[in-house]
Amino acid sequence: MAATTDEHQVARRHREALELFTSRVHAIRPDQWDAPTPCTDWSVRDLVNHLAAEQLWVPPLVRDGSTIEEQGDRFDGDQLGERPVAAWDRAVAGALRAFAEPGALSRTVHLSSGPSSALAYCAQMTMDATVHAWDLSRAIGAEEQLPPELVEFAAREVQPYAADLVGTGLFAAPRTPPPGADAQGELLALLGRRP
């Protein structure tokens, strides 16, 4: 995990990142769900579905101590159904409740990469939601400027393992930041975006 180890700060940033992404989900017009995003091969719906599935994993992994193997393909495929915004809101509420339980961030979770602290898992989820909030903002024409605190948190979190993300297929190879790039531009370039 990156340098951030304060449970209260991680929990606060996680909530802020999900609130930011949620504000963008609520801004999606009906005709934008099939629009392309900066994530190769993902539409707006695909992107929101990806983040919703990630949130749905949190209660069984953090609250119940379940494993990826025990859950199987439960969260594969479409998780949004006919009411995607409501499905997103339910997924977020469950994730926030699970991470907010007393002692939750001190637990061990069993991820596809192996055992991890729930604190590290929450920090990774925060970084992912922050960067994908930019993706969604660009896709729907919303405000692209991310809160500086989230940019700083996400950059600090991802730098130690950014190079490994290319192999996951979820992030493109790092790009050279444009001249004079600010912290957000550097973060986005690190994660293969064109700010």
Side-chain angles (χ1 to χ4, degrees):
M1 169 165 172
T4 301
T5 56
D6 179 271
E7 290 187 7
H8 297 296
Q9 183 188 34
V10 173
R12 182 170 63 250
R13 295 292 177 250
H14 178 253
R15 179 175 291 277
E16 290 168 357
L18 287 182
E19 287 172 352
L20 176 64
F21 195 87
T22 296
S23 73
R24 300 307 187 259
V25 171
H26 282 256
I28 299 169
R29 296 190 317 263
D31 63 340
Q32 291 181 312
W33 285 98
D34 292 326
T37 71
C39 302
T40 306
D41 300 327
W42 277 2
S43 67
V44 166
R45 184 181 176 94
D46 295 330
L47 176 60
V48 175
N49 188 68
H50 164 70
L51 264 289
E54 283 194 343
Q55 307 319 308
L56 291 170
W57 276 105
V58 175
L61 295 178
V62 173
R63 185 191 62 219
D64 304 336
S66 185
T67 66
I68 301 286
E69 294 76 21
E70 289 169 345
Q71 294 300 313
D73 62 0
R74 179 177 172 196
F75 302 119
D76 290 355
D78 178 43
Q79 300 297 318
L80 300 179
E82 295 181 7
R83 299 182 62 218
V85 175
W88 165 257
D89 289 345
R90 281 192 304 276
V92 168
L96 289 173
R97 277 194 305 272
F99 274 132
E101 287 181 1
L105 295 179
S106 301
R107 298 174 188 156
T108 297
V109 292
H110 302 279
L111 307 176
S112 56
S113 57
S116 172
S117 74
L119 183 65
Y121 176 43
C122 187
Q124 292 166 10
M125 296 278 283
T126 303
M127 179 280 299
D128 199 51
T130 298
V131 174
H132 284 317
W134 179 85
D135 294 327
L136 185 54
S137 296
R138 175 151 287 191
I140 66 171
E143 170 60 51
E144 294 181 16
Q145 190 62 47
L146 301 170
E149 299 82 7
L150 284 176
V151 170
E152 179 186 349
F153 182 95
R156 195 170 53 245
E157 165 59 28
V158 77
Q159 281 170 348
Y161 57 83
D164 299 333
L165 292 176
V166 177
T168 66
L170 299 177
F171 291 92
R175 300 181 183 278
T176 301
D182 61 6
Q184 176 172 314
E186 291 178 359
L187 171 66
L188 295 171
L190 178 66
L191 295 172
R193 271 72 176 164
R194 293 184 188 274

